[in-house]
Amino acid sequence: MAVQTTQTPRTTTPTTTITFLRVAVALQTGTLFLQAVSAGLLLTAHHGEVLHSVGARVTYAATMLYVLAAVLAWKPGGGSPRPIAYATGFLVLSSAQVVLGIAHLPSVHVPLGVLTFGLSLLVLAHPRSGRPE
C-alpha cells in the first residue's frame, strides 16, 4: 500500500529577501542610534555638527534602503505589503527630520528623532516583521 502525501504550495517569502529586509531595518536603527550620539556631541565637541550632518545623510540612505528592501520582499518575494507602509512612514519621518534640522527647530527635531528611533526599535524587535501574514 502506497502512502500518498500532499504538498501545499509555499507562501513564505524567500529567506534572502527577509534577511535583506531585517538587515535594512537593523541598519536604519543603528544609524538612528548614532544620530542620537552625534547629537550629544553637538553640545560637547566642535566636530559634532559635522558628524551629525554626515550621519543624517547616512540615516536617510539607510531609510531609502529599507524602502527598497520592503518592496523587494513584497513583490518578487511574495511577502506582505505591510513593511512597505512602515518603510514609507520612516521615509516621511526622516524627511521631516531633515527639514526640521535645517530649520534649527530642536524643540520638534529632538522629540521626533526619539520617536523615530523608538519606532525603528519596535519594528526591529517585532518577531514577524517582514514575514507574510
Side-chain angles (χ1 to χ4, degrees):
M1 183 159 128
V3 176
Q4 185 177 11
T5 59
T6 59
Q7 292 182 342
T8 57
R10 291 186 175 242
T11 58
T12 59
T13 58
T15 306
T16 307
T17 56
I18 290 175
T19 301
F20 182 41
L21 184 61
R22 300 291 291 166
V23 167
V25 173
L27 181 65
Q28 173 185 269
T29 305
T31 60
L32 286 167
F33 176 74
L34 292 176
Q35 279 301 91
V37 171
S38 68
L41 288 174
L42 273 170
L43 304 173
T44 60
H46 67 280
H47 61 277
E49 185 176 354
V50 173
L51 287 174
H52 197 67
S53 179
V54 169
R57 288 167 176 80
V58 173
T59 300
Y60 202 79
T63 302
M64 287 191 285
L65 182 69
Y66 178 28
V67 171
L68 175 65
V71 169
L72 291 176
W74 167 65
K75 195 61 175 171
S80 169
R82 184 173 289 169
I84 296 172
Y86 295 159
T88 303
F90 280 111
L91 191 59
V92 169
L93 289 173
S94 291
S95 299
Q97 281 293 85
V98 169
V99 169
L100 293 168
I102 290 171
H104 299 288
L105 294 171
S107 61
V108 183
H109 181 75
V110 172
L112 186 59
V114 172
L115 175 69
T116 304
F117 176 66
L119 290 173
S120 191
L121 272 176
L122 285 174
V123 171
L124 182 63
H126 194 270
R128 289 188 51 85
S129 179
R131 293 192 179 105
E133 299 178 4

